[in-house]
Amino acid sequence: MTDAANYTPSERRYAEMTYRRSGRSGLKLPAVSLGFWHNFGDHGTYDNMKALCFTAFDNGITHFDLANNYGPAAGAAERNAGRILREELSGYRDELIVSTKAGYDMWPGPYGDWGSRKYLLSSLDQSMERLGLEYVDVFYHHRPDPETPLEETMGALSQAVTSGKALYAGLSNYDGPMMERAATILESLHCPFVINQNRYSIYDRSIENNGLLESAEKLGKGIITFSPLAQGLLTGRYLNGIPADSRIRTDGRFLSENQISEERLDSMRGLNDLAGQRGQTLAEMSLAWILRDSSVTSVLIGASKPQQILDNIGALTNTAFSDEELHAIDELSLRQQL
């Protein structure tokens, strides 16, 4: 149910969701996780945020993914999530995985960005205060820092776990070789590093080419992917023009009108036709395409409406692809990489 005043989760919340182990760790995540990158900032409505969380949890999505800078403004998503966790979901904390990150610009001065020990541990304290939690389940370094020694950054993640403020460590936007170096350091510190978070979609194959998929499989680390629908290009919303309420019109930070060329439209329409032949929407097929790979633990979805969450979960009904379908997807997409 989604009555904000008297929310009680569905008794069938674990009946249909698939859970996948994060690498060789003991941690399992739902195949579909809810990301708070968009739609949980100050521009959103609190009732809608609650409805998104309730719909997710009612359907077995137990993982909420945040970062210190998610908003706008920075910190807003954590504050709003914290209110929901406190007022509506406090009795279900042990059923939830709450993750957050630090690594991008967060506050003025030299200590509010990148990967120093000072920044990471201070940011985690701030995140826990905004979230109103005694610990987070996963704490990520959000992006590699080219100037801070990797040993210092990984030492900070280890300290976060040792202090009890995080249960697991994660890395985001690391390529394969750097992830392997980081994993070696974290293993020497006996720190449970279990997951990598990176962009991946039919239109963005970076992790296939930078060694991350191979390295994560070799080392037994999980992968959770963000932007699986390429900021909306793989949802079908843009097949017949740009809707007035689309992200291009209302935000524009991550997807612009000039990215929708005639060539890309042809690609999107071809993919949409293929999805229809599979009995799926374009979004469902795009998520299923990622989840076909057993090395992927979970896909992060963003949603502005509860129905979008339900639609995305539909991808789990068919994650098998024939060789012919995979070849057709490559033919339609590889020339249109973002």
Side-chain angles (χ1 to χ4, degrees), residues 121-161:
L121 296 179
S122 297
S123 180
L124 179 55
D125 284 342
Q126 292 182 21
S127 290
M128 290 169 60
E129 182 175 356
R130 285 189 291 267
L131 289 164
L133 298 178
E134 295 180 354
Y135 69 94
V136 297
D137 295 277
V138 184
F139 182 49
Y140 290 87
H141 185 221
H142 209 161
R143 62 170 171 171
D145 182 347
E147 296 183 354
T148 298
L150 194 59
E151 290 78 6
E152 177 178 341
T153 302
M154 295 306 104
L157 290 182
S158 179
Q159 177 62 29
V161 173

Side-chain angles (χ1 to χ4, degrees), residues 37-297:
W37 185 12
H38 303 291
N39 305 311
F40 285 85
D42 291 334
H43 63 294
T45 65
Y46 183 64
D47 283 346
N48 189 57
M49 295 174 202
K50 286 191 293 187
L52 293 172
C53 291
F54 296 165
T55 300
F57 191 42
D58 281 346
N59 289 277
I61 296 179
T62 53
H63 178 209
F64 296 166
D65 178 82
L66 298 108
N68 59 354
N69 64 330
Y70 287 176
E78 288 182 330
R79 283 194 300 274
N80 289 318
R83 182 179 171 190
I84 294 169
L85 291 167
R86 180 178 66 253
E87 296 181 355
E88 310 292 347
L89 294 171
S90 61
Y92 305 97
R93 175 65 181 99
D94 291 340
E95 296 185 44
L96 294 170
I97 298 294
V98 180
S99 61
T100 196
K101 316 175 198 71
Y104 283 93
D105 184 33
M106 184 59 190
W107 64 82
Y111 316 120
D113 200 354
W114 291 104
S116 71
R117 181 180 180 87
K118 168 71 173 175
Y119 170 49
L120 291 182
L121 296 179
S122 297
S123 180
L124 179 55
D125 284 342
Q126 292 182 21
S127 290
M128 290 169 60
E129 182 175 356
R130 285 189 291 267
L131 289 164
L133 298 178
E134 295 180 354
Y135 69 94
V136 297
D137 295 277
V138 184
F139 182 49
Y140 290 87
H141 185 221
H142 209 161
R143 62 170 171 171
D145 182 347
E147 296 183 354
T148 298
L150 194 59
E151 290 78 6
E152 177 178 341
T153 302
M154 295 306 104
L157 290 182
S158 179
Q159 177 62 29
V161 173
T162 301
S163 67
K165 296 177 181 179
L167 302 186
Y168 302 94
L171 300 176
S172 182
N173 297 306
Y174 279 58
D175 62 17
M178 181 166 282
M179 186 276 282
E180 291 201 27
R181 288 177 53 210
T184 298
I185 297 168
L186 290 168
E187 183 176 359
S188 72
L189 297 170
H190 305 288
C191 178
F193 158 47
V194 300
I195 196 159
N196 299 272
Q197 183 171 140
N198 290 70
R199 189 187 305 271
Y200 189 40
S201 75
I202 286 173
Y203 280 146
D204 189 334
R205 310 291 186 90
S206 297
I207 68 172
E208 295 178 359
N209 302 317
N210 67 14
L212 184 69
L213 273 177
E214 180 181 356
S215 293
E217 179 72 19
K218 178 176 70 175
L219 298 180
K221 307 302 180 183
I223 291 178
I224 183 168
T225 67
F226 66 90
S227 296
L229 301 179
Q231 297 296 329
L233 293 177
L234 293 168
T235 63
R237 294 201 74 197
Y238 299 102
L239 294 175
N240 300 300
I242 300 175
D245 63 346
S246 67
R247 189 168 294 170
I248 287 178
R249 296 287 188 239
T250 61
D251 191 331
R253 290 177 297 163
F254 305 104
L255 184 65
S256 60
E257 187 170 350
N258 62 17
Q259 290 177 272
I260 305 182
S261 62
E262 282 301 318
E263 292 79 10
R264 187 175 296 282
L265 274 172
D266 288 343
S267 168
M268 291 157 56
R269 288 167 180 154
L271 291 168
N272 188 61
D273 290 343
L274 178 59
Q277 294 168 24
R278 288 172 48 83
Q280 293 179 310
T281 65
L282 177 55
E284 287 173 345
M285 184 185 77
S286 299
L287 295 173
W289 178 86
I290 296 173
L291 290 169
R292 83 194 190 284
D293 190 336
S294 61
S295 63
V296 174
T297 307

